[in-house]
Amino acid sequence: MAPVSTTVNVSGMTCGHCVSSVSEELEALSGVEKIDVDLNAGGISTVTITSSEALSSSEIGEAIAEAGYLVVASEA
């Protein structure tokens, strides 16, 4: 089965430590293989999660909240 890529926008991340915290929480989710973070300090950062199975937005949101950040809706 091909990997599933999920991208979410996260607010509140400002530094490498933020990236580490979010990545650590997301990597704990079942099936997660890779995390790519495009850090936009003080703005909206983009987090792309590659996993072996589809992840629910609620489990992604909870993992990011556990790290102390907030998933925000993408701007059209």
Side-chain angles (χ1 to χ4, degrees):
M1 188 160 97
V4 179
S5 181
T6 309
T7 302
V8 292
N9 294 321
V10 180
S11 70
M13 295 170 64
T14 57
C15 64
H17 179 73
C18 303
V19 172
S20 298
S21 297
V22 167
S23 296
E24 197 173 294
E25 291 296 336
L26 290 170
E27 285 166 356
L29 297 177
S30 173
V32 171
E33 296 169 357
K34 185 177 167 204
I35 312 286
D36 285 307
V37 180
D38 181 12
L39 180 65
N40 178 5
I44 305 301
S45 300
T46 306
V47 180
T48 304
I49 305 146
T50 305
S51 55
S52 58
E53 57 198 55
L55 300 170
S56 75
S57 54
S58 63
E59 66 184 337
I60 292 170
E62 285 170 21
I64 290 172
E66 188 70 32
Y69 305 98
L70 189 64
V71 174
V72 293
S74 57
E75 294 171 17

